[in-house]
Amino acid sequence: MIALLERLRSGEVLVGDGALGTLLMTRGLRPGAAPEALNLSHPETLEEIARLYLEAGADLVTTNSFGGSPARLRRYGLEDRTEEINRAAVLAVRRAVGDRAYVSASIGSSGHLLKPYGDGDPGEIAAGYERQIRALAAAGADLVCIETMTDLAEAVLAVRAARAVAPALPVMATMTFERTRRGFFTVMGASIEQAVHGLTEAGADILGSNCGNGSAVMGEIAREFRARTDRPIAIQPNAGLPEPRGGTIVYPETPEFMAENAKALVKLGVAIVGGCCGTTPEHVRALRDAVG
Amino acid sequence: MNILSEIGESLQRGEDDRVGALVRQALEQRCEPHRILNEGLIAGMDVVGEQFRLREIFLPDVLLAARAMYTGLDLLRPLLARDGVPTAGRVVLGSVHGDLHDIGKNLVSIMLKGAGFDVMDLGNDVPAERFVDAAREHGASVIGLSALLTTTMPVMKEVVELVRARGLAGRVRVIVGGAPVSEAWAREIGADAHGYDAANAVERVRALVAARG
Ligand code: B1M
């Protein structure tokens, strides 16, 4: 398989996958249970979902390891199984995609706000990320995907951890922004400019945004990233913002709607277009068709 | 500057030690505890809430202000109780099952306590039955539910249905809140009220208690 960064440098646009959590819920994940425990109990479910995204045309397929840091697993008494859980996450996707797609190793927030705002100790959180990433890399992940970050300091800890323990793997780091009157910021107060600076400095190869916004607003975010960095940009919107309907929650953006906006993202020079909450294999198929 | 507005402004800057010192100073000057609370701490926190809603400030500022609020509140609570300020009502509060987000819920809790409500905080990840059991056991007239995840919002509906199934509808009112929760959602699931921020939650809870009589 050609190296990811080489393909992006040559100007190729790649397609990411869509939501995982919602598909897991329709396959029996109970709210409140650890999604990552399924890597051990139901690896075939993860393999099946990875195959759906591969068949829909995804070039990058994400592992079920978003909450696989020891700090997160501790909440479920699974900290001791960090290595097993992360290894199983990679292997399930690999079995499904072989070398037809990159296995993108998902890393999420530690679940602790850093001191002085919460009880998170930066040293401990960094060590936890290193432990998780070591396991993901050893199992054969193709890239590290640090996502849905709102605290730049924590995102930087994760990027540095990846650089330290898996220096051969490309690192993608994406944060979640909100539109305010003064421009885009994460809820913790990081601007796009600060994110670009901090993540680049820490050693991220691919920068961008996921979650928090639909595909139209993501166009504005992408434009701001483009104005500030030459690195490849990854954009993975939600299928719009959730709306209540009939006592459940519906994400309103159709695959066709997202695909139209994806064309605009590609025009802006975005290198990786995928989906986040509310997106499905149908959305990814539409993105694939739009991106070409 | 008036010491009460000084307390409010110090709270907005998240200076917990200074807020503590100023509250003590105000008490020494024989300022009434409920005025320190309302015109100092709560007034300051209202500004913080509004600035956060407009994203003029961000979550770290809110967290530091909340800590300062706690510092002040801890000093005042025994005095308020001694003054025999009657409780405004009893509220059972928590983040719903599956939801570990509790920052917003904690702010609501602080503001309700500040407004004189007797708040029973069940914490986060609270199953539907626990809310209803707690409300019944402790004679609370309001259940407050917080959810920050679209995947946990449906638990709110379970609580509303359980309140009805147990025949508590009308006696126990349900208010819902949290970033993804809207007035429309509250209506859809049959909740009695929605609060868009902590100050608004206090207003809505007051109205619920008043309506119950
Ligand atoms: C009873 O009546 C009432 C009335 C009013 C009420 C009320 C009740 N409750 C609240 N209110 C209202 O008053 C408050 C004061 O004004 C307001 O409360 P809020 O809670 O809205 O506001 C707070 C003051 C500040 N806001 C917050 O505290 C939430 C901030 C963000 C950044 C956030 C945080 C901090 C956290 N998170 Co999480 N987190 C996000 C949030 C992103 C964002 N931009 O908002 C959100 C909510 N998280 C999300 C997710 C997905 C998750 N989080 C998770 C974990 C965490 C942390 C543990 C790291 C941390 C929580 C720490 C804690 N102790 O609470 C995971 C889930 C854990 C779980 N099972 O609950 C995880 C699944 C994974 C992840 N992305 O990290 C997203 C939810 C997507 C969705 N809509 O479903 C999210 C929007 C981030 C994003 N992707 O953009 C009002 O809503």
Side-chain angles (χ1 to χ4, degrees):
Chain A
M1 202 164 30
I2 308 174
L4 171 66
L5 293 179
E6 218 170 285
R7 282 173 75 182
L8 295 177
R9 262 194 295 273
S10 77
E12 198 177 335
V13 178
L14 300 182
V15 175
D17 60 1
L20 185 54
T22 36
L23 294 190
L24 288 176
M25 291 217 161
T26 60
R27 285 162 178 75
L29 173 67
R30 287 165 295 113
E36 291 75 20
L38 295 177
N39 296 348
L40 300 178
S41 64
H42 294 81
E44 67 291 345
T45 303
L46 293 151
E47 199 176 325
E48 179 218 331
I49 293 172
R51 196 169 300 115
L52 289 177
Y53 280 125
L54 176 78
E55 284 162 5
D59 299 303
L60 297 93
V61 180
T62 312
T63 60
N64 183 34
S65 53
F66 184 85
S69 63
R72 286 284 283 268
L73 293 174
R74 189 177 308 144
R75 291 222 164 101
Y76 307 96
L78 293 171
E79 185 185 359
D80 290 347
R81 309 189 74 179
T82 300
E83 279 73 19
E84 271 176 274
I85 285 172
N86 284 287
R87 181 180 162 75
V90 172
L91 296 183
V93 177
R94 180 63 77 200
R95 278 195 300 278
V97 306
D99 62 1
R100 295 162 65 203
Y102 298 104
V103 177
S104 179
S106 173
I107 303 280
S109 153
S110 67
H112 295 266
L113 294 166
L114 294 180
K115 286 174 186 162
Y117 311 113
D119 62 356
D121 175 69
E124 233 169 79
I125 287 173
Y129 280 137
E130 290 186 4
R131 184 171 162 198
Q132 181 185 14
I133 295 167
R134 215 177 274 122
L136 291 163
D142 295 311
L143 71 145
V144 178
C145 168
I146 294 157
E147 52 180 345
T148 326
M149 288 288 182
T150 54
D151 182 355
L152 181 56
E154 189 183 27
V156 162
L157 289 178
V159 173
R160 290 216 179 105
R163 277 282 159 254
V165 303
L169 294 187
V171 177
M172 173 158 114
T174 58
M175 300 190 70
T176 304
F177 298 92
E178 301 175 328
R179 192 216 298 269
T180 78
R181 289 194 199 159
R182 292 180 294 128
F184 288 100
F185 291 87
T186 70
V187 74
M188 295 297 285
S191 66
I192 291 179
E193 183 160 9
Q194 288 168 327
V196 166
H197 183 79
L199 298 173
T200 305
E201 194 102 303
D205 302 292
I206 305 165
L207 316 175
S209 183
N210 75 292
C211 204
N213 293 289
S215 55
V217 175
M218 278 296 196
E220 297 174 45
I221 292 175
R223 191 171 297 119
E224 299 219 10
F225 267 94
R226 184 73 300 163
R228 291 177 171 85
T229 182
D230 294 329
R231 306 228 162 172
I233 296 169
I235 297 288
Q236 313 217 59
N238 289 348
L241 296 184
E243 294 167 5
R245 259 181 233 160
T248 62
I249 309 295
V250 179
Y251 283 87
E253 291 189 10
T254 61
E256 297 68 38
F257 182 91
M258 267 191 113
E260 270 320 300
N261 284 326
K263 288 180 191 159
L265 291 175
V266 173
K267 273 208 201 88
L268 283 167
V270 171
I272 296 175
V273 181
C276 199
C277 305
T279 59
T280 62
E282 286 67 49
H283 289 88
V284 171
R285 191 162 290 122
L287 292 178
R288 174 86 271 167
D289 291 343
V291 165
Chain B
M1 197 192 334
N2 160 345
I3 189 158
L4 296 180
S5 31
E6 214 175 320
I7 289 174
E9 286 181 18
S10 185
L11 178 140
Q12 289 171 47
R13 288 191 297 270
E15 302 164 339
D16 52 346
D17 289 343
R18 182 141 183 277
V19 166
L22 287 169
V23 166
R24 274 192 211 94
Q25 197 182 320
L27 289 169
E28 278 160 23
Q29 294 173 11
R30 308 215 163 274
C31 201
E32 286 172 61
H34 77 262
R35 284 194 61 206
I36 302 178
L37 176 67
N38 290 317
E39 295 165 42
L41 300 174
I42 292 186
M45 204 61 199
D46 276 341
V47 176
V48 170
E50 184 60 13
Q51 287 180 338
F52 177 65
R53 204 170 61 76
L54 299 171
R55 293 301 188 268
E56 285 163 7
I57 60 171
F58 296 96
L59 192 50
D61 310 295
V62 178
L63 292 171
L64 295 182
R67 184 180 305 175
M69 174 98 184
Y70 272 124
T71 304
L73 209 51
D74 284 346
L75 292 168
L76 295 178
R77 203 176 288 129
L79 304 173
L80 291 167
R82 189 196 57 198
D83 289 358
V85 178
T87 135
R90 188 164 286 172
V91 182
V92 164
L93 183 69
S95 301
V96 299
H97 180 49
D99 213 312
L100 302 175
H101 295 89
D102 63 3
I103 296 167
K105 184 267 296 168
N106 291 345
L107 291 178
V108 172
S109 173
I110 297 180
M111 293 299 269
L112 282 172
K113 282 179 190 157
F117 286 92
D118 180 359
V119 179
M120 186 173 183
D121 190 339
L122 301 180
N124 58 19
D125 192 13
V126 181
E129 309 81 59
R130 277 206 45 218
F131 282 108
V132 183
D133 291 346
R136 190 154 53 182
E137 271 167 43
H138 301 276
S141 54
V142 177
I143 294 178
L145 305 174
S146 183
L148 266 282
L149 297 170
T150 48
T151 49
T152 58
M153 281 167 66
V155 181
M156 295 177 150
K157 194 175 171 205
E158 285 176 33
V159 177
V160 171
E161 283 166 1
L162 203 57
V163 167
R164 287 201 191 125
R166 301 258 179 99
L168 296 170
R171 273 188 292 153
V172 176
R173 307 287 173 104
V174 179
I175 173 170
V176 295
V181 178
S182 62
E183 195 79 49
W185 174 255
R187 261 199 308 276
E188 268 203 55
I189 64 170
D192 301 290
H194 163 251
Y196 61 77
D197 67 11
N200 183 242
V202 171
E203 258 171 61
R204 304 302 302 266
V205 169
R206 253 200 213 111
L208 290 180
V209 172
R212 185 171 171 265

